[in-house]
Amino acid sequence: MDIHHIRNIYCVGRNYGLHAAELGNSVPDEPMIFTKPTHALVVADGSPVVLPEDRGDVHYEAELVLHIGRDYTPGMTVDELVDVMSLGIDFTLRDVQNVIKSKGYPWLPAKGFLRSAVVTKPIAFPGLEAIKSLELSLKRNGQEVQRGSASQMIFSLQTLIDYIASHYGLGAGDLIYTGTPPGVAAVQDGDRYELLWDERVLGAFTAKLGD
């Protein structure tokens, strides 16, 4: 997976019930999909990730990320479509999001800023059944702050793929950020983040609040 050849970045909001609850949000009746520009994508390769410091709190949201390896046709399964997976962070300008939500404005200013879509190196997709028993986790400064698995999602991976494909289109080179488990919080300057899959570190970086 080459981030310079990613076509679309789809993201799923409120796909874990406990995360919706921690922010006081209702659970949706159907998948909540938003997008990020490809310019938001950055690899967690140990280098610092620069985030805005003058637009209120920036929250981390760790997620399972699917890479679509083939163009979708109706009836295709997750196992047929997904070639590799990664972990990622959907960074969110929470104060900005709260304001635009209250006004009914689009989420782009809160979700689509530069370097708001962190992704780790890819690994082989283990298959839909196997992935349900595996967990992602996020450590901040050595302490675990998030943990979750696909088995806890409100909308299954197959549901997400079918929904995105039928409403927006889905093809080779697309990414899907599948939602975050509970435990999100504000980033502090100098925080060190590690993204783990089945207790193995797939990527890490230091957050730098700046321009």
Side-chain angles (χ1 to χ4, degrees), residues 2 13 17 26 33 50 55 64 79 87 107 115 120 122 141 147 154 162 171 184 187 192 209:
D2 183 347
S26 60
I33 308 300
V50 180
R55 283 176 262 173
L64 169 68
D79 289 340
L87 300 181
W107 285 13
R115 296 174 292 278
T120 69
N141 302 324
R147 178 174 289 269
I154 296 169
D162 292 337
V184 305
V187 174
R192 179 70 175 174
L209 299 183

Side-chain angles (χ1 to χ4, degrees), residues 114-165:
L114 288 173
R115 296 174 292 278
S116 63
V118 174
V119 69
T120 69
K121 65 182 181 182
I123 59 172
F125 184 68
L128 184 59
E129 288 307 311
I131 206 170
K132 294 177 182 178
S133 63
L134 301 172
E135 293 184 316
L136 68 90
S137 60
L138 176 68
K139 289 185 177 181
R140 178 175 63 170
N141 302 324
Q143 300 295 315
E144 183 178 295
V145 289
Q146 288 191 273
R147 178 174 289 269
S149 75
S151 64
Q152 300 167 333
M153 293 179 179
I154 296 169
F155 301 104
S156 69
L157 298 183
Q158 187 66 53
T159 298
L160 296 178
I161 279 178
D162 292 337
Y163 186 91
I164 292 170

Side-chain angles (χ1 to χ4, degrees), residues 10-207:
Y10 294 110
C11 304
V12 184
R14 303 183 196 173
N15 201 25
Y16 287 76
L18 290 177
H19 170 59
E22 73 179 346
L23 296 183
N25 294 322
S26 60
V27 174
D29 296 324
E30 60 184 56
M32 291 180 59
I33 308 300
F34 60 94
T35 63
K36 289 177 180 270
T38 53
H39 294 291
L41 204 60
V42 62
V43 177
D45 61 1
S47 303
V49 173
V50 180
L51 300 167
E53 65 174 347
D54 58 355
R55 283 176 262 173
D57 284 347
V58 184
H59 279 206
Y60 57 78
E61 299 186 9
E63 311 201 5
L64 169 68
V65 182
L66 305 180
H67 179 267
I68 305 301
R70 302 171 59 185
D71 290 344
Y72 176 94
T73 56
M76 293 184 74
T77 66
V78 172
D79 289 340
E80 292 174 311
L81 283 165
V82 178
D83 53 356
V84 295
M85 55 158 281
S86 303
L87 300 181
I89 293 184
D90 162 23
F91 278 119
T92 302
L93 291 169
R94 190 69 70 201
D95 294 333
V96 173
Q97 185 186 42
N98 289 339
V99 171
I100 61 180
K101 281 169 56 179
S102 69
K103 295 182 178 181
Y105 293 170
W107 285 13
L108 183 62
K111 292 284 194 177
F113 56 94
L114 288 173
R115 296 174 292 278
S116 63
V118 174
V119 69
T120 69
K121 65 182 181 182
I123 59 172
F125 184 68
L128 184 59
E129 288 307 311
I131 206 170
K132 294 177 182 178
S133 63
L134 301 172
E135 293 184 316
L136 68 90
S137 60
L138 176 68
K139 289 185 177 181
R140 178 175 63 170
N141 302 324
Q143 300 295 315
E144 183 178 295
V145 289
Q146 288 191 273
R147 178 174 289 269
S149 75
S151 64
Q152 300 167 333
M153 293 179 179
I154 296 169
F155 301 104
S156 69
L157 298 183
Q158 187 66 53
T159 298
L160 296 178
I161 279 178
D162 292 337
Y163 186 91
I164 292 170
S166 64
H167 285 76
Y168 310 110
L170 192 63
D174 290 345
L175 291 183
I176 303 176
Y177 281 65
T178 58
T180 192
V184 305
V187 174
Q188 302 298 319
D189 187 47
D191 278 349
R192 179 70 175 174
Y193 292 93
E194 296 174 295
L195 288 149
L196 296 88
W197 177 249
D198 196 28
E199 310 306 329
R200 177 163 60 105
V201 176
L202 295 188
F205 64 93
T206 300

